PDB file of all heavy atoms in Angstrom:
ATOM      1  N   SER M   1     273.381-156.930  71.926  1.00 82.00           N
ATOM      2  CA  SER M   1     273.149-158.271  72.098  1.00 82.00           C
ATOM      3  C   SER M   1     272.073-158.707  71.098  1.00 82.00           C
ATOM      4  O   SER M   1     271.326-157.906  70.607  1.00 82.00           O
ATOM      5  CB  SER M   1     272.753-158.667  73.486  1.00 82.00           C
ATOM      6  OG  SER M   1     271.516-158.134  73.930  1.00 82.00           O
ATOM      7  N   GLY M   2     271.923-160.045  70.986  1.00 73.00           N
ATOM      8  CA  GLY M   2     270.864-160.577  70.098  1.00 73.00           C
ATOM      9  C   GLY M   2     271.194-160.306  68.630  1.00 73.00           C
ATOM     10  O   GLY M   2     272.291-160.145  68.215  1.00 73.00           O
ATOM     11  N   SER M   3     270.145-160.256  67.788  1.00 68.00           N
ATOM     12  CA  SER M   3     270.316-160.138  66.386  1.00 68.00           C
ATOM     13  C   SER M   3     270.847-158.785  65.901  1.00 68.00           C
ATOM     14  O   SER M   3     271.436-158.665  64.823  1.00 68.00           O
ATOM     15  CB  SER M   3     268.959-160.369  65.702  1.00 68.00           C
ATOM     16  OG  SER M   3     268.032-159.471  66.037  1.00 68.00           O
ATOM     17  N   THR M   4     270.628-157.734  66.785  1.00 68.00           N
ATOM     18  CA  THR M   4     271.072-156.372  66.289  1.00 68.00           C
ATOM     19  C   THR M   4     272.526-156.352  65.967  1.00 68.00           C
ATOM     20  O   THR M   4     272.893-155.801  64.900  1.00 68.00           O
ATOM     21  CB  THR M   4     270.738-155.406  67.431  1.00 68.00           C
ATOM     22  OG1 THR M   4     269.333-155.358  67.674  1.00 68.00           O
ATOM     23  CG2 THR M   4     271.148-153.973  66.980  1.00 68.00           C
ATOM     24  N   TYR M   5     273.361-156.851  66.777  1.00 65.00           N
ATOM     25  CA  TYR M   5     274.836-156.782  66.550  1.00 65.00           C
ATOM     26  C   TYR M   5     275.259-157.677  65.356  1.00 65.00           C
ATOM     27  O   TYR M   5     276.295-157.381  64.772  1.00 65.00           O
ATOM     28  CB  TYR M   5     275.627-157.206  67.757  1.00 65.00           C
ATOM     29  CG  TYR M   5     276.993-156.724  67.615  1.00 65.00           C
ATOM     30  CD1 TYR M   5     277.384-155.484  68.037  1.00 65.00           C
ATOM     31  CD2 TYR M   5     278.028-157.627  67.178  1.00 65.00           C
ATOM     32  CE1 TYR M   5     278.723-155.023  67.925  1.00 65.00           C
ATOM     33  CE2 TYR M   5     279.375-157.116  67.094  1.00 65.00           C
ATOM     34  CZ  TYR M   5     279.677-155.859  67.410  1.00 65.00           C
ATOM     35  OH  TYR M   5     280.995-155.407  67.378  1.00 65.00           O
ATOM     36  N   ARG M   6     274.474-158.550  64.983  1.00 61.00           N
ATOM     37  CA  ARG M   6     274.849-159.416  63.857  1.00 61.00           C
ATOM     38  C   ARG M   6     274.591-158.727  62.492  1.00 61.00           C
ATOM     39  O   ARG M   6     274.997-159.237  61.426  1.00 61.00           O
ATOM     40  CB  ARG M   6     274.101-160.773  63.830  1.00 61.00           C
ATOM     41  CG  ARG M   6     274.474-161.622  65.045  1.00 61.00           C
ATOM     42  CD  ARG M   6     273.974-163.038  64.945  1.00 61.00           C
ATOM     43  NE  ARG M   6     272.614-163.177  64.928  1.00 61.00           N
ATOM     44  CZ  ARG M   6     271.895-163.356  66.049  1.00 61.00           C
ATOM     45  NH1 ARG M   6     272.586-163.469  67.230  1.00 61.00           N
ATOM     46  NH2 ARG M   6     270.622-163.502  65.994  1.00 61.00           N
ATOM     47  N   GLN M   7     273.968-157.608  62.467  1.00 68.00           N
ATOM     48  CA  GLN M   7     273.811-156.888  61.217  1.00 68.00           C
ATOM     49  C   GLN M   7     275.210-156.338  60.756  1.00 68.00           C
ATOM     50  O   GLN M   7     276.122-156.110  61.547  1.00 68.00           O
ATOM     51  CB  GLN M   7     272.896-155.618  61.482  1.00 68.00           C
ATOM     52  CG  GLN M   7     271.476-155.938  61.948  1.00 68.00           C
ATOM     53  CD  GLN M   7     270.777-156.846  60.997  1.00 68.00           C
ATOM     54  OE1 GLN M   7     270.861-156.572  59.734  1.00 68.00           O
ATOM     55  NE2 GLN M   7     270.029-157.825  61.478  1.00 68.00           N
ATOM     56  N   ASP M   8     275.351-156.223  59.461  1.00 81.00           N
ATOM     57  CA  ASP M   8     276.571-155.837  58.869  1.00 81.00           C
ATOM     58  C   ASP M   8     277.089-154.455  59.353  1.00 81.00           C
ATOM     59  O   ASP M   8     278.259-154.186  59.492  1.00 81.00           O
ATOM     60  CB  ASP M   8     276.533-155.815  57.319  1.00 81.00           C
ATOM     61  CG  ASP M   8     276.355-157.261  56.761  1.00 81.00           C
ATOM     62  OD1 ASP M   8     276.707-158.160  57.463  1.00 81.00           O
ATOM     63  OD2 ASP M   8     275.977-157.359  55.596  1.00 81.00           O
ATOM     64  N   CYS M   9     276.067-153.554  59.456  1.00 89.00           N
ATOM     65  CA  CYS M   9     276.443-152.229  59.834  1.00 89.00           C
ATOM     66  C   CYS M   9     275.813-151.876  61.241  1.00 89.00           C
ATOM     67  O   CYS M   9     274.724-152.126  61.462  1.00 89.00           O
ATOM     68  CB  CYS M   9     275.798-151.247  58.795  1.00 89.00           C
ATOM     69  SG  CYS M   9     276.073-149.513  59.035  1.00 89.00           S
ATOM     70  N   MET M  10     276.674-151.221  61.968  1.00 91.00           N
ATOM     71  CA  MET M  10     276.225-150.639  63.279  1.00 91.00           C
ATOM     72  C   MET M  10     276.627-149.158  63.270  1.00 91.00           C
ATOM     73  O   MET M  10     277.702-148.782  62.721  1.00 91.00           O
ATOM     74  CB  MET M  10     276.880-151.317  64.467  1.00 91.00           C
ATOM     75  CG  MET M  10     276.449-152.737  64.699  1.00 91.00           C
ATOM     76  SD  MET M  10     274.685-152.877  65.175  1.00 91.00           S
ATOM     77  CE  MET M  10     274.722-152.014  66.775  1.00 91.00           C
ATOM     78  N   GLY M  11     275.767-148.321  63.835  1.00 95.00           N
ATOM     79  CA  GLY M  11     276.071-146.947  63.838  1.00 95.00           C
ATOM     80  C   GLY M  11     275.572-146.148  64.993  1.00 95.00           C
ATOM     81  O   GLY M  11     274.935-146.721  65.931  1.00 95.00           O
ATOM     82  N   TRP M  12     275.971-144.920  65.019  1.00 97.00           N
ATOM     83  CA  TRP M  12     275.495-143.985  66.093  1.00 97.00           C
ATOM     84  C   TRP M  12     274.581-142.888  65.460  1.00 97.00           C
ATOM     85  O   TRP M  12     274.970-142.361  64.385  1.00 97.00           O
ATOM     86  CB  TRP M  12     276.706-143.338  66.724  1.00 97.00           C
ATOM     87  CG  TRP M  12     277.500-144.220  67.719  1.00 97.00           C
ATOM     88  CD1 TRP M  12     278.536-144.975  67.309  1.00 97.00           C
ATOM     89  CD2 TRP M  12     277.165-144.435  69.085  1.00 97.00           C
ATOM     90  NE1 TRP M  12     278.972-145.612  68.409  1.00 97.00           N
ATOM     91  CE2 TRP M  12     278.149-145.389  69.486  1.00 97.00           C
ATOM     92  CE3 TRP M  12     276.253-143.940  69.927  1.00 97.00           C
ATOM     93  CZ2 TRP M  12     278.197-145.797  70.802  1.00 97.00           C
ATOM     94  CZ3 TRP M  12     276.237-144.425  71.262  1.00 97.00           C
ATOM     95  CH2 TRP M  12     277.169-145.294  71.699  1.00 97.00           C
ATOM     96  N   PHE M  13     273.511-142.616  66.136  1.00 98.00           N
ATOM     97  CA  PHE M  13     272.646-141.568  65.761  1.00 98.00           C
ATOM     98  C   PHE M  13     272.378-140.578  66.965  1.00 98.00           C
ATOM     99  O   PHE M  13     272.760-140.968  68.110  1.00 98.00           O
ATOM    100  CB  PHE M  13     271.241-142.153  65.414  1.00 98.00           C
ATOM    101  CG  PHE M  13     271.298-143.107  64.187  1.00 98.00           C
ATOM    102  CD1 PHE M  13     271.684-144.440  64.404  1.00 98.00           C
ATOM    103  CD2 PHE M  13     270.879-142.638  62.928  1.00 98.00           C
ATOM    104  CE1 PHE M  13     271.740-145.323  63.369  1.00 98.00           C
ATOM    105  CE2 PHE M  13     270.965-143.525  61.838  1.00 98.00           C
ATOM    106  CZ  PHE M  13     271.333-144.818  62.096  1.00 98.00           C
ATOM    107  N   ARG M  14     272.077-139.478  66.700  1.00 98.00           N
ATOM    108  CA  ARG M  14     271.784-138.515  67.836  1.00 98.00           C
ATOM    109  C   ARG M  14     270.541-137.685  67.551  1.00 98.00           C
ATOM    110  O   ARG M  14     270.117-137.447  66.396  1.00 98.00           O
ATOM    111  CB  ARG M  14     273.007-137.583  67.984  1.00 98.00           C
ATOM    112  CG  ARG M  14     273.278-136.640  66.799  1.00 98.00           C
ATOM    113  CD  ARG M  14     274.653-135.873  67.018  1.00 98.00           C
ATOM    114  NE  ARG M  14     274.930-134.991  65.924  1.00 98.00           N
ATOM    115  CZ  ARG M  14     276.070-134.360  65.799  1.00 98.00           C
ATOM    116  NH1 ARG M  14     276.959-134.446  66.700  1.00 98.00           N
ATOM    117  NH2 ARG M  14     276.305-133.541  64.777  1.00 98.00           N
ATOM    118  N   GLN M  15     269.941-137.194  68.592  1.00 98.00           N
ATOM    119  CA  GLN M  15     268.763-136.392  68.502  1.00 98.00           C
ATOM    120  C   GLN M  15     268.715-135.347  69.650  1.00 98.00           C
ATOM    121  O   GLN M  15     268.691-135.830  70.791  1.00 98.00           O
ATOM    122  CB  GLN M  15     267.544-137.245  68.438  1.00 98.00           C
ATOM    123  CG  GLN M  15     266.279-136.401  68.185  1.00 98.00           C
ATOM    124  CD  GLN M  15     265.039-137.260  67.952  1.00 98.00           C
ATOM    125  OE1 GLN M  15     264.972-138.411  68.411  1.00 98.00           O
ATOM    126  NE2 GLN M  15     264.019-136.741  67.183  1.00 98.00           N
ATOM    127  N   ASP M  16     268.702-134.096  69.269  1.00 96.00           N
ATOM    128  CA  ASP M  16     268.597-133.037  70.305  1.00 96.00           C
ATOM    129  C   ASP M  16     267.162-132.755  70.391  1.00 96.00           C
ATOM    130  O   ASP M  16     266.308-132.877  69.529  1.00 96.00           O
ATOM    131  CB  ASP M  16     269.439-131.888  69.990  1.00 96.00           C
ATOM    132  CG  ASP M  16     269.647-130.972  71.159  1.00 96.00           C
ATOM    133  OD1 ASP M  16     269.326-131.338  72.354  1.00 96.00           O
ATOM    134  OD2 ASP M  16     270.339-129.894  70.985  1.00 96.00           O
ATOM    135  N   THR M  17     266.797-132.056  71.540  1.00 94.00           N
ATOM    136  CA  THR M  17     265.422-131.641  71.777  1.00 94.00           C
ATOM    137  C   THR M  17     264.857-130.802  70.646  1.00 94.00           C
ATOM    138  O   THR M  17     265.515-129.750  70.233  1.00 94.00           O
ATOM    139  CB  THR M  17     265.281-130.926  73.061  1.00 94.00           C
ATOM    140  OG1 THR M  17     265.716-131.719  74.182  1.00 94.00           O
ATOM    141  CG2 THR M  17     263.816-130.529  73.352  1.00 94.00           C
ATOM    142  N   GLY M  18     263.801-131.165  70.043  1.00 94.00           N
ATOM    143  CA  GLY M  18     263.116-130.399  69.049  1.00 94.00           C
ATOM    144  C   GLY M  18     263.712-130.561  67.620  1.00 94.00           C
ATOM    145  O   GLY M  18     263.278-129.913  66.689  1.00 94.00           O
ATOM    146  N   LYS M  19     264.720-131.453  67.528  1.00 95.00           N
ATOM    147  CA  LYS M  19     265.338-131.633  66.259  1.00 95.00           C
ATOM    148  C   LYS M  19     265.207-133.088  65.686  1.00 95.00           C
ATOM    149  O   LYS M  19     264.858-133.926  66.505  1.00 95.00           O
ATOM    150  CB  LYS M  19     266.849-131.313  66.259  1.00 95.00           C
ATOM    151  CG  LYS M  19     267.113-129.830  66.563  1.00 95.00           C
ATOM    152  CD  LYS M  19     268.617-129.485  66.454  1.00 95.00           C
ATOM    153  CE  LYS M  19     268.865-128.030  66.654  1.00 95.00           C
ATOM    154  NZ  LYS M  19     270.263-127.675  66.606  1.00 95.00           N
ATOM    155  N   LYS M  20     265.333-133.250  64.432  1.00 96.00           N
ATOM    156  CA  LYS M  20     265.290-134.609  63.926  1.00 96.00           C
ATOM    157  C   LYS M  20     266.452-135.480  64.183  1.00 96.00           C
ATOM    158  O   LYS M  20     267.514-134.939  64.480  1.00 96.00           O
ATOM    159  CB  LYS M  20     265.156-134.515  62.353  1.00 96.00           C
ATOM    160  CG  LYS M  20     263.867-133.841  61.839  1.00 96.00           C
ATOM    161  CD  LYS M  20     263.782-133.834  60.318  1.00 96.00           C
ATOM    162  CE  LYS M  20     262.540-133.273  59.835  1.00 96.00           C
ATOM    163  NZ  LYS M  20     262.444-133.298  58.349  1.00 96.00           N
ATOM    164  N   ARG M  21     266.290-136.732  64.252  1.00 96.00           N
ATOM    165  CA  ARG M  21     267.313-137.649  64.433  1.00 96.00           C
ATOM    166  C   ARG M  21     268.331-137.569  63.297  1.00 96.00           C
ATOM    167  O   ARG M  21     267.929-137.451  62.147  1.00 96.00           O
ATOM    168  CB  ARG M  21     266.775-139.070  64.566  1.00 96.00           C
ATOM    169  CG  ARG M  21     267.839-140.184  64.772  1.00 96.00           C
ATOM    170  CD  ARG M  21     267.164-141.485  64.806  1.00 96.00           C
ATOM    171  NE  ARG M  21     266.529-141.891  63.527  1.00 96.00           N
ATOM    172  CZ  ARG M  21     265.441-142.600  63.459  1.00 96.00           C
ATOM    173  NH1 ARG M  21     264.879-143.182  64.559  1.00 96.00           N
ATOM    174  NH2 ARG M  21     264.890-142.821  62.227  1.00 96.00           N
ATOM    175  N   GLU M  22     269.558-137.641  63.644  1.00 96.00           N
ATOM    176  CA  GLU M  22     270.657-137.521  62.599  1.00 96.00           C
ATOM    177  C   GLU M  22     271.625-138.653  62.714  1.00 96.00           C
ATOM    178  O   GLU M  22     272.075-139.030  63.804  1.00 96.00           O
ATOM    179  CB  GLU M  22     271.416-136.218  62.834  1.00 96.00           C
ATOM    180  CG  GLU M  22     272.588-136.006  61.877  1.00 96.00           C
ATOM    181  CD  GLU M  22     273.349-134.764  62.200  1.00 96.00           C
ATOM    182  OE1 GLU M  22     273.556-134.483  63.513  1.00 96.00           O
ATOM    183  OE2 GLU M  22     273.808-134.050  61.351  1.00 96.00           O
ATOM    184  N   GLY M  23     271.969-139.296  61.612  1.00 97.00           N
ATOM    185  CA  GLY M  23     273.023-140.277  61.635  1.00 97.00           C
ATOM    186  C   GLY M  23     274.343-139.657  61.787  1.00 97.00           C
ATOM    187  O   GLY M  23     274.598-138.611  61.066  1.00 97.00           O
ATOM    188  N   VAL M  24     275.229-140.154  62.643  1.00 98.00           N
ATOM    189  CA  VAL M  24     276.490-139.547  62.926  1.00 98.00           C
ATOM    190  C   VAL M  24     277.673-140.368  62.328  1.00 98.00           C
ATOM    191  O   VAL M  24     278.512-139.787  61.690  1.00 98.00           O
ATOM    192  CB  VAL M  24     276.659-139.450  64.480  1.00 98.00           C
ATOM    193  CG1 VAL M  24     278.084-138.926  64.796  1.00 98.00           C
ATOM    194  CG2 VAL M  24     275.579-138.565  65.078  1.00 98.00           C
ATOM    195  N   ALA M  25     277.650-141.629  62.660  1.00 97.00           N
ATOM    196  CA  ALA M  25     278.712-142.493  62.150  1.00 97.00           C
ATOM    197  C   ALA M  25     278.250-143.880  61.995  1.00 97.00           C
ATOM    198  O   ALA M  25     277.425-144.329  62.754  1.00 97.00           O
ATOM    199  CB  ALA M  25     279.939-142.311  63.091  1.00 97.00           C
ATOM    200  N   ALA M  26     278.889-144.591  61.099  1.00 95.00           N
ATOM    201  CA  ALA M  26     278.566-146.040  60.871  1.00 95.00           C
ATOM    202  C   ALA M  26     279.808-146.853  60.640  1.00 95.00           C
ATOM    203  O   ALA M  26     280.734-146.322  60.075  1.00 95.00           O
ATOM    204  CB  ALA M  26     277.572-146.167  59.734  1.00 95.00           C
ATOM    205  N   ILE M  27     279.731-148.126  60.964  1.00 93.00           N
ATOM    206  CA  ILE M  27     280.865-148.979  60.721  1.00 93.00           C
ATOM    207  C   ILE M  27     280.356-150.399  60.394  1.00 93.00           C
ATOM    208  O   ILE M  27     279.374-150.836  60.986  1.00 93.00           O
ATOM    209  CB  ILE M  27     281.818-149.045  61.920  1.00 93.00           C
ATOM    210  CG1 ILE M  27     283.068-149.820  61.623  1.00 93.00           C
ATOM    211  CG2 ILE M  27     281.086-149.540  63.179  1.00 93.00           C
ATOM    212  CD1 ILE M  27     284.146-149.645  62.701  1.00 93.00           C
ATOM    213  N   TYR M  28     280.944-151.055  59.357  1.00 86.00           N
ATOM    214  CA  TYR M  28     280.582-152.410  58.997  1.00 86.00           C
ATOM    215  C   TYR M  28     281.403-153.410  59.717  1.00 86.00           C
ATOM    216  O   TYR M  28     282.338-152.992  60.497  1.00 86.00           O
ATOM    217  CB  TYR M  28     280.754-152.541  57.504  1.00 86.00           C
ATOM    218  CG  TYR M  28     279.525-152.077  56.703  1.00 86.00           C
ATOM    219  CD1 TYR M  28     279.353-150.773  56.412  1.00 86.00           C
ATOM    220  CD2 TYR M  28     278.597-153.062  56.302  1.00 86.00           C
ATOM    221  CE1 TYR M  28     278.288-150.339  55.662  1.00 86.00           C
ATOM    222  CE2 TYR M  28     277.469-152.645  55.587  1.00 86.00           C
ATOM    223  CZ  TYR M  28     277.378-151.333  55.263  1.00 86.00           C
ATOM    224  OH  TYR M  28     276.190-150.879  54.563  1.00 86.00           O
ATOM    225  N   THR M  29     281.049-154.702  59.652  1.00 73.00           N
ATOM    226  CA  THR M  29     281.805-155.728  60.307  1.00 73.00           C
ATOM    227  C   THR M  29     283.293-155.677  59.986  1.00 73.00           C
ATOM    228  O   THR M  29     284.081-155.812  60.889  1.00 73.00           O
ATOM    229  CB  THR M  29     281.305-157.142  59.871  1.00 73.00           C
ATOM    230  OG1 THR M  29     279.855-157.168  60.214  1.00 73.00           O
ATOM    231  CG2 THR M  29     281.947-158.179  60.650  1.00 73.00           C
ATOM    232  N   THR M  30     283.612-155.327  58.710  1.00 69.00           N
ATOM    233  CA  THR M  30     284.975-155.063  58.339  1.00 69.00           C
ATOM    234  C   THR M  30     285.169-153.534  58.661  1.00 69.00           C
ATOM    235  O   THR M  30     284.611-152.671  58.119  1.00 69.00           O
ATOM    236  CB  THR M  30     285.168-155.318  56.865  1.00 69.00           C
ATOM    237  OG1 THR M  30     284.946-156.610  56.557  1.00 69.00           O
ATOM    238  CG2 THR M  30     286.641-155.025  56.524  1.00 69.00           C
TER     239      THR M  30
END
């Protein structure tokens, strides 16, 4: 909700214990 969803790109990130955050997948409005 709010301004976040209005961004062109939304994505999923993941982070396991003791590891760096990793980008998993992204999708644009199209």
Side-chain angles (χ1 to χ4, degrees):
S1 63
S3 61
T4 300
Y5 197 83
R6 294 195 292 272
Q7 300 299 319
D8 290 342
C9 179
M10 292 293 295
W12 287 92
F13 299 80
R14 65 187 181 187
Q15 186 170 26
D16 198 7
T17 302
K19 295 186 176 182
K20 293 182 178 180
R21 181 182 60 209
E22 176 186 40
V24 177
I27 186 168
Y28 275 82
T29 302
T30 301

